[in-house]
């Protein structure tokens, strides 16, 4: 069974940094693209970033380029999202998702981790 | 900047049929955008319903179907059930590794 478990969320002050993680199991992690998607309170889903299986290609939504960095550790079956210069508008639940590249679909999702940016 | 558009809210009677649509602020939708659809209830992770325009994800009931209608992608629920009351999101692949979600449709079954 595919499982994705996010961690690393919490309360952080504006301007701070946070590293989110997603532990993957139940599939060959190194064979799949992975993604991060977020959802601000009461708002819709927003795609943030994709990363290729070997980590050689990364893509971001324009609004987070330069502040967010997606990475992966295939030896540890883990996905990460480094978020710098946090702003109030980054307050959201952050989901990791497995992406099937050939079908352009997010086919499995984690339960999400909440990031709250507040002083 | 292109925006993916969805109806903010739609209602359907139990047992009825409803179609949710997903368009582009500029241009027409085609299968080349690989439309996919996700269902989400409050506090839960999204659930994948449809991908590649019209392929149902594993375990999704056949009352859910996807298509291209005119210049939009569409999700049709035939024989709506009260359990279908959820938020529905579409996603387009915009090329160059970029995906884009629509704003979501809140479906009410009453």
């Amino acid at each position: 069974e595919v499982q994705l478990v996010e961690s690393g969320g919490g309360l952080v002050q504006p301007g701070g940094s946070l590293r989110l993680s997603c532990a993957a199991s139940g599939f060959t992690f190194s064979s799949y693209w992975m993604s991060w998607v977020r959802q601000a309170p009461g708002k819709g889903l927003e795609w943030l970033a994709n990363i290729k299986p070997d980590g050689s290609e990364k893509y971001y939504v324009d609004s987070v380029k330069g502040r967010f960095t997606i990475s992966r550790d295939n030896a540890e079956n883990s996905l990460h999202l480094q978020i710098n210069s946090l702003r109030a508008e980054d307050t959201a639940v952050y989901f990791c998702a497995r992406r099937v590249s050939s079908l352009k679909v997010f086919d499995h999702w984690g339960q999400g981790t909440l990031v709250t940016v507040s002083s | 900047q292109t925006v993916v558009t969805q109806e903010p809210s739609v209602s359907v009677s139990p047992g009825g049929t409803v179609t949710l649509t997903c368009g582009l602020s500029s241009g027409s939708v085609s299968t080349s955008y690989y439309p996919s659809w996700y269902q989400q209830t409050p506090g839960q992770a999204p659930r994948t319903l449809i991908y590649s325009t019209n392929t149902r994800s594993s375990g999704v009931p056949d009352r859910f179907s996807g298509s291209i209608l005119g210049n939009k992608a569409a999700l049709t629920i035939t024989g709506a059930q009260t359990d279908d009351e959820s938020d529905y999101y579409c996603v387009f692949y915009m090329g160059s590794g970029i995906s884009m979600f629509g704003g979501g449709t809140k479906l009410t079954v009453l």
Side-chain angles (χ1 to χ4, degrees), chain B residues 60-73:
Chain B
V60 173
D62 60 7
R63 67 177 182 275
F64 292 91
S65 61
S67 64
I68 300 290
L69 284 182
N71 62 350
K72 296 183 179 182

Side-chain angles (χ1 to χ4, degrees), chain A residues 62-117:
Chain A
D62 283 348
S63 60
V64 306
K65 283 180 183 176
R67 287 197 307 125
F68 288 25
T69 303
I70 189 172
S71 63
R72 64 192 297 160
D73 184 339
N74 286 343
E76 295 290 331
N77 291 339
S78 61
L79 176 72
H80 304 285
L81 185 69
Q82 177 70 38
I83 310 175
N84 297 328
S85 304
L86 275 154
R87 308 165 179 168
E89 53 264 37
D90 295 320
T91 294
V93 175
Y94 287 73
F95 297 98
C96 69
R98 191 179 80 168
R99 182 175 180 265
V100 180
S101 178
S102 59
L103 302 173
K104 318 299 186 214
V105 62
F106 308 110
D107 71 336
H108 286 86
W109 297 75
Q111 286 301 307
T113 187
L114 175 62
V115 173
T116 303
V117 184

Side-chain angles (χ1 to χ4, degrees), chain A residues 37 39 43-47 50 59-62 95 99 102-111, chain B residues 1 34 36 38 40 43-46 48 50-52 89 91 93 96-103:
Chain A
V37 173
Q39 186 170 37
K43 303 296 185 182
L45 298 168
E46 179 185 27
W47 170 77
N50 290 338
Y59 300 94
Y60 300 91
V61 65
D62 283 348
F95 297 98
R99 182 175 180 265
S102 59
L103 302 173
K104 318 299 186 214
V105 62
F106 308 110
D107 71 336
H108 286 86
W109 297 75
Q111 286 301 307
Chain B
Q1 170 109 7
Y34 293 86
S36 55
Y38 304 84
Q40 188 186 35
Q44 298 297 313
T48 307
I50 300 284
Y51 60 92
S52 294
Y89 295 90
V91 174
Y93 178 65
S96 301
I98 306 297
S99 296
M100 190 175 294
F101 279 86

